[in-house]
Amino acid sequence: MKLSSLLIQERTQRQVKDFLKRPAHSLLLIGPAGAGKKTLARAIAVEALGLNDSDRLDNYPYYYRLVKPADKQDIPVAAIRDLRALLKLKIPGTKPLKRLIIIENAADMSLESQNAILKVLEEPAEYTLFILTVSSLHSVLPTISSRCQQITAKLLDFARGGDGLRANQDLTQVIREVIQLVRAMSKYRQCEIVFDRAEPCVLEINGNEIKQVVLNLVANALDAIEDASRQVNRRPRLSGQSMADSKISEASTVAVGRLEIRLKEFTDHVELEFQDTGCGMSADVLRKIFDPFFTTKPTGQGTGLGLPICHRIVTEHGGRLAATSTGVGHGSTFRLSLPRVAASQQKVA
């Protein structure tokens, strides 16, 4: 997974960009479980090494990953000694960065291991970048954290939306802002996004939280479309957009997947429908789709927290979120219902 395909909070995005401009020899990614540290670490590694995708990272000869062995209580000091021996090996080539080490859950290192890695960081090897992930600064020795540049890892999918206050928001505008965001992402070039509504639709919501829900549902739909077909390369377009705005020639681009977003208004509530032509879901997947930590994505590409968080946000708004699919290969539909007027909650005048 590349950085361009991640939905990263703005602050994290700025921190990552600043780091990549002038990378230090070691980086500490900080965030609680589910914050996307592992995914972000791999994406930074891919970008720093100049690789095309995370698959190439796994095959890169000078990439090393340290994790706690399944049969151990911690990352033993022997693993750090082996790593120090590897760092003494010369690497051919003229690239400014040639070797990359990721230590996942650095708090799993024993105290002896932490002292050993501290010595490595105090005398950094040439052409080498260390990336350590931790749940908090207190997870490792202060002398380790002080020698690392620090980034707060927060993927937009997993973030809570502000202070919980709700006010009148235009749902149409929220949807269009999400579409503009994903249209700029190279990962979804082959997908067509259709949302023709222009009229405002005002209701009492936490705009940030509902935007996260819409973003997650759109990204999941486009991922499903990408899984179903990877043969045509095109930038997503917003149906009904003028050619001057989109700068995309109909003659030169052909959509191989389609996401339709429909907004329906009723007296006391509104309904949003996200219908895609993607890979679809089996009955078993549908039963588990909102379960925490359940994911159909490959290892390292999903935490299984996005949809459960969406479900929680919608429920807290007094709404409903449901998914349907006629089976694998036949696309999926997510339906979101929200009340027009918030019930018992904080409001902004």
Side-chain angles (χ1 to χ4, degrees):
M1 180 174 285
K2 297 188 70 175
L3 280 169
S4 59
S5 67
L6 291 184
L7 306 175
I8 308 175
Q9 279 203 339
E10 186 176 350
R11 180 186 174 191
T12 301
Q13 195 172 47
R14 287 198 305 268
Q15 290 177 324
V16 171
K17 285 183 178 179
D18 290 343
F19 174 79
L20 289 171
K21 285 179 183 176
R22 295 180 180 178
H25 69 275
S26 54
L27 173 65
L28 196 65
L29 290 182
I30 310 161
K37 298 186 295 294
K38 178 180 176 181
T39 300
L40 185 56
R42 288 178 60 84
I44 292 173
V46 167
E47 195 82 13
L49 291 170
L51 305 177
N52 291 330
D53 52 50
S54 57
D55 291 338
R56 294 201 175 187
L57 177 65
D58 292 325
N59 296 321
Y60 185 74
Y62 307 112
Y63 163 64
Y64 309 99
R65 173 174 166 260
L66 265 63
V67 294
K68 182 181 74 173
D71 59 343
K72 302 286 185 182
Q73 292 185 336
D74 50 37
I75 298 175
V77 70
I80 308 301
R81 293 194 187 108
D82 291 343
L83 179 61
R84 293 183 70 177
L86 286 170
L87 293 176
K88 294 178 181 178
L89 299 176
K90 298 294 183 181
I91 302 177
T94 58
K95 290 172 61 176
L97 179 64
K98 304 175 188 176
R99 182 165 40 207
L100 200 140
I101 295 100
I102 293 179
I103 303 178
E104 292 180 12
N105 299 321
D108 287 338
M109 289 189 293
S110 65
L111 182 58
E112 189 179 7
S113 296
Q114 290 197 38
N115 280 313
I117 203 69
L118 176 60
K119 292 180 180 178
V120 174
L121 297 179
E122 287 175 339
E123 300 176 3
E126 283 188 312
Y127 316 115
T128 302
L129 169 62
F130 279 84
I131 302 179
L132 292 74
T133 70
V134 293
S135 57
S136 75
L137 278 176
H138 306 296
S139 302
V140 291
L141 293 171
T143 43
I144 290 179
S145 58
S146 66
R147 282 168 172 76
C148 301
Q149 190 167 334
Q150 298 167 15
I151 290 179
T152 302
K154 216 165 190 182
L155 303 190
L156 193 56
D157 301 45
F158 317 127
R160 287 192 65 96
D163 53 14
L165 297 178
R166 300 175 195 169
N168 287 336
Q169 301 279 343
D170 180 4
L171 188 56
T172 300
Q173 182 61 29
V174 169
I175 296 167
R176 287 191 169 270
E177 287 175 0
V178 169
I179 291 173
Q180 288 298 110
L181 173 64
V182 299
R183 285 183 71 246
M185 299 173 67
S186 60
K187 180 181 181 182
Y188 302 129
R189 283 178 182 160
Q190 63 185 18
C191 310
E192 180 180 16
I193 306 172
V194 178
F195 180 62
D196 293 325
R197 183 184 175 100
E199 300 83 4
C201 175
V202 178
L203 62 161
E204 286 181 352
I205 55 174
N206 180 310
N208 287 335
E209 288 188 342
I210 296 304
K211 188 173 184 179
Q212 290 170 33
V213 172
V214 173
L215 180 57
N216 195 287
L217 295 177
V218 168
N220 282 353
L222 298 183
D223 282 341
I225 290 170
E226 187 185 53
D227 288 343
S229 178
R230 300 175 180 273
Q231 283 147 34
V232 177
N233 183 22
R234 79 183 290 272
R235 178 180 291 275
R237 66 177 177 83
L238 179 59
S239 181
Q241 211 175 18
S242 70
M243 296 307 297
D245 289 337
S246 65
K247 298 181 181 178
I248 299 175
S249 168
E250 291 291 338
S252 63
T253 58
V254 179
V256 298
R258 181 182 178 93
L259 167 63
E260 290 191 48
I261 305 174
R262 305 182 187 94
L263 174 56
K264 302 175 184 178
E265 295 191 72
F266 299 89
T267 303
D268 60 349
H269 72 285
V270 300
E271 290 184 0
L272 262 178
E273 187 175 270
F274 301 81
Q275 185 176 26
D276 68 67
T277 60
C279 56
M281 293 181 283
S282 67
D284 184 56
V285 169
L286 281 171
R287 281 192 294 269
K288 302 174 183 176
I289 197 70
F290 297 115
D291 291 351
F293 305 110
F294 174 77
T295 180
T296 59
K297 295 180 179 179
T299 302
Q301 294 188 25
T303 64
L305 291 173
L307 284 175
I309 288 177
C310 288
H311 192 272
R312 172 186 57 76
I313 290 173
V314 172
T315 301
E316 288 177 354
H317 275 75
R320 297 185 304 276
L321 179 61
T324 59
S325 176
T326 56
V328 175
H330 296 284
S332 303
T333 301
F334 281 78
R335 292 183 176 88
L336 166 62
S337 174
L338 290 169
R340 281 189 174 277
V341 178
S344 299
Q345 70 197 8
Q346 295 173 303
K347 296 183 183 181
V348 177

